[in-house]
Amino acid sequence: MPRNQFQRMVFAFITVLITVHAYVFYSLYVINGNTLMNVNGTTSVLAALNKQGGVYMLGTYLPIWGCILLEFCLAYVLENLVGSPMSFKLACRVFNPAKNHPMLFETAIICATVGIMCPAMSFFAAFLYYPYYMGFDIFTLLANWLKLICFNFPFAYFTQLFFIQPFVRVAFKTLFRKDIEARNTDDERRNPENEQEAIADIFRRMDEIKEELAHERRRRKALENVVQDNKGK
């Protein structure tokens, strides 16, 4: 998967681009679709949004593309600064990427990302979509935040695990196909091709271990000499 900062930013860009569109559709059509149609007396959500002048956000009505752009900027910054680094650290507490199967480690990262990003973005959404025409109340804000988490978390978990992240990984592998192929070629060169090479690799690693042990013994001997010299003084 991503090996440098540029690749991580591209990976986050694709993820957030798909996720934000999915969440806007989920929020407007699935959660609030019937309410919008009933209030505006229309038979479609899009007609209801056009009739009321857009999506209610920050105390005014914005076009859908404006809502998507604002949420995209917030989610992209949050993903790069908080979501991606923290999810990797949390996954490393449970799984070792060098020993465990890559699928387990990637699944742990996805779950950790959902656990971080869903409450965070729901909190921002509670501010963005708060009914400011009714006045502001902190308890109403917290109640709306918890309600959004209850709505968004199941949707986020299943879509990210089974749909969005698999698609993002396919798109990422397509964009960086040459880099991934070069990386796999280097890995194949490091792997022994036959029994003789495997045995030679084992002996080489044994020599490396012996050298490390000898270095450790020399270091301990030097420390013992220093301790004895200090005692003699």
Side-chain angles (χ1 to χ4, degrees):
M1 297 316 297
R3 298 290 294 269
N4 52 53
Q5 184 61 33
F6 174 72
Q7 291 184 2
R8 284 190 287 269
M9 293 180 68
V10 172
F11 190 90
F13 180 87
I14 301 173
T15 300
V16 174
L17 183 66
I18 298 174
T19 302
V20 168
H21 283 82
Y23 272 87
V24 171
F25 175 82
Y26 175 71
S27 176
L28 294 178
Y29 282 81
V30 179
I31 298 178
N32 300 306
N34 290 331
T35 302
L36 289 172
M37 289 186 292
N38 292 333
V39 170
N40 293 280
T42 60
T43 56
S44 69
V45 176
L46 186 60
L49 294 175
N50 292 331
K51 184 176 181 179
Q52 70 180 16
V55 181
Y56 182 81
M57 177 180 284
L58 294 174
T60 185
Y61 288 94
L62 298 177
I64 296 180
W65 63 265
C67 299
I68 293 176
L69 181 61
L70 181 58
E71 290 196 26
F72 173 83
C73 293
L74 289 173
Y76 186 69
V77 172
L78 189 64
E79 172 69 16
N80 281 287
L81 297 181
V82 180
S84 181
M86 287 189 63
S87 62
F88 182 80
K89 292 180 180 179
L90 290 174
C92 288
R93 291 185 178 182
V94 182
F95 297 100
N96 186 343
K99 296 181 180 180
N100 295 116
H101 194 279
M103 183 63 68
L104 292 175
F105 189 70
E106 291 178 4
T107 302
I109 291 178
I110 294 172
C111 295
T113 303
V114 172
I116 295 170
M117 292 295 293
C118 180
M121 287 305 299
S122 296
F123 185 72
F124 285 121
F127 273 103
L128 296 175
Y129 297 101
Y130 187 87
Y132 291 100
Y133 55 85
M134 299 176 57
F136 183 81
D137 182 74
I138 187 65
F139 295 106
T140 302
L141 175 69
L142 295 176
N144 291 341
W145 177 39
L146 293 176
K147 182 179 71 173
L148 288 173
I149 292 177
C150 293
F151 277 126
N152 294 335
F153 189 84
F155 178 78
Y157 178 77
F158 288 105
T159 54
Q160 291 291 338
L161 190 60
F162 296 107
F163 301 103
I164 296 178
Q165 286 303 315
F167 177 81
V168 171
R169 278 159 170 73
V170 171
F172 181 84
K173 291 178 181 179
T174 302
L175 290 174
F176 295 96
R177 177 176 55 83
K178 294 183 179 180
D179 179 73
I180 295 173
E181 289 178 353
R183 189 192 314 167
N184 293 334
T185 302
D186 293 338
D187 293 338
E188 290 176 358
R189 291 174 180 174
R190 297 190 187 100
N191 295 328
E193 296 181 355
N194 51 50
E195 184 178 356
Q196 292 180 348
E197 291 187 3
I199 295 174
D201 184 66
I202 291 173
F203 280 109
R204 179 182 59 80
R205 295 186 182 184
M206 290 175 61
D207 293 337
E208 293 177 353
I209 294 173
K210 290 179 181 179
E211 181 62 28
E212 291 176 359
L213 291 175
H215 175 73
E216 183 66 20
R217 284 194 294 266
R218 290 193 296 268
R219 189 180 67 84
R220 290 185 179 181
K221 184 64 176 178
L223 290 175
E224 291 176 358
N225 293 334
V226 172
V227 173
Q228 290 178 359
D229 293 339
N230 290 334
K231 288 182 179 181
K233 294 179 181 179

